């Protein structure tokens, strides 16, 4: 019995040494068009294409307290389910092209009330396990219509990890900023 265990150990050692020898053989490692192929891509982290943060145009830093106040009000309205107040901070995105991007939601309309309610639920979900929120930085992105959208990066820190969202702001009237877009990554 003991001889079989030693024999298996020796055989395993020989196979290991032989395989190491073959992989180091110069004639076996020809520099061709071979590429490494991974069978399981589940363990490969996926990093979305994000614009280089250093090259992003910086926004007016005086907007930081303005956007922080808006975000505090938005999260508070979401928590309290004050849909009228929340709607007043969200730029309209719906079927009425005359209002699209130039007005806020109206909770008297059933469709718009539903959109605001769903938005509140999402904001509450982000805040539910959040221990801290950090209003990290502000930068500007040029929009196709020629307007500049100021973007606030919000970092939600919880025991589960860190979640980062980008809130885009446009002034509907002079210095009256509203949230026009929310995304998890910039592309």
């Amino acid at each position: 019995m003991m001889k079989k265990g030693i024999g298996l150990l020796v055989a395993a050692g020989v196979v290991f040494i032989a395989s190491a020898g073959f992989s180091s053989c110069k004639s076996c490692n020809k520099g061709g068009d071979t590429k490494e192929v991974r069978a399981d891509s589940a363990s490969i982290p996926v990093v979305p294409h994000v614009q280089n943060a250093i090259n992003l145009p910086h926004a007016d830093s005086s907007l930081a307290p303005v956007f922080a106040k808006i975000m505090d009000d938005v999260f508070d309205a979401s928590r309290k389910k004050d849909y009228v107040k929340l709607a007043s901070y969200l730029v309209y995105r719906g079927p009425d092209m005359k209002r699209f991007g130039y007005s806020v939601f109206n909770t008297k309309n059933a469709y718009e009330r539903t959109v605001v309610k769903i938005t509140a639920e999402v904001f509450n979900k982000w805040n539910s396990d959040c221990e801290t929120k950090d209003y990290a930085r502000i930068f500007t992105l040029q929009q196709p219509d020629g307007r500049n959208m100021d973007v606030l990066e919000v970092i939600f820190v919880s025991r589960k990890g860190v979640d980062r969202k980008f809130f885009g702001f446009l002034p509907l009237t002079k210095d009256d900023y509203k949230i026009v877009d929310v995304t998890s990554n910039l592309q």
Side-chain angles (χ1 to χ4, degrees):
M1 182 90 167
M2 179 93 150
K3 289 183 182 181
K4 274 188 178 181
I6 292 173
L8 287 175
L9 185 60
V10 171
V14 170
V15 169
F16 176 75
I17 292 170
S19 67
F22 287 129
S23 66
S24 66
C25 174
K26 289 182 182 179
S27 66
C28 297
N29 290 332
K30 295 179 182 173
D33 294 333
T34 60
K35 294 182 181 177
E36 182 179 346
V37 177
R38 296 180 188 230
D40 180 20
S41 64
S43 64
I44 301 170
V46 177
V47 180
H49 172 71
V50 177
Q51 293 179 9
N52 187 344
I54 295 172
N55 294 331
L56 290 173
H58 294 283
D60 182 359
S61 61
S62 67
L63 293 174
V66 173
F67 291 166
K69 169 90 171 85
I70 291 171
M71 294 308 302
D72 289 341
D73 289 348
V74 162
F75 292 139
D76 186 55
S78 296
R79 184 178 48 78
K80 292 179 179 176
K81 297 181 181 184
D82 185 350
Y83 303 129
V84 173
K85 184 174 183 179
L86 179 59
S88 71
Y89 286 107
L90 303 175
V91 173
Y92 175 79
R93 296 178 77 136
D96 185 353
M97 294 312 289
K98 292 178 184 174
R99 294 180 50 219
F100 191 93
Y102 292 96
S103 176
V104 294
F105 281 95
N106 177 4
T107 56
K108 292 179 182 175
N109 177 295
Y111 165 78
E112 295 180 42
R113 182 176 49 252
T114 302
V115 171
V116 172
K117 182 179 177 188
I118 292 169
T119 303
E121 291 170 0
V122 170
F123 288 170
N124 284 329
K125 181 181 177 197
W126 293 341
N127 281 302
S128 64
D129 295 328
C130 180
E131 294 175 1
T132 61
K133 281 189 297 283
D134 182 25
Y135 302 136
R137 62 190 169 125
I138 300 172
F139 51 91
T140 302
L141 295 175
Q142 183 74 30
Q143 296 303 292
D145 66 358
R147 298 187 286 179
N148 285 327
M149 179 174 64
D150 294 309
V151 179
L152 173 67
E153 179 182 10
V154 179
I155 300 173
F156 299 89
V157 180
S158 70
R159 289 186 178 147
K160 295 177 183 177
V162 175
D163 193 12
R164 181 172 72 168
K165 306 293 181 197
F166 299 95
F167 290 79
F169 292 86
L170 285 175
L172 293 188
T173 60
K174 185 169 174 55
D175 298 327
D176 185 26
Y177 288 91
K178 306 295 182 189
I179 298 171
V180 69
D181 196 11
V182 181
T183 187
S184 294
N185 57 34
L186 301 173
Q187 291 193 22

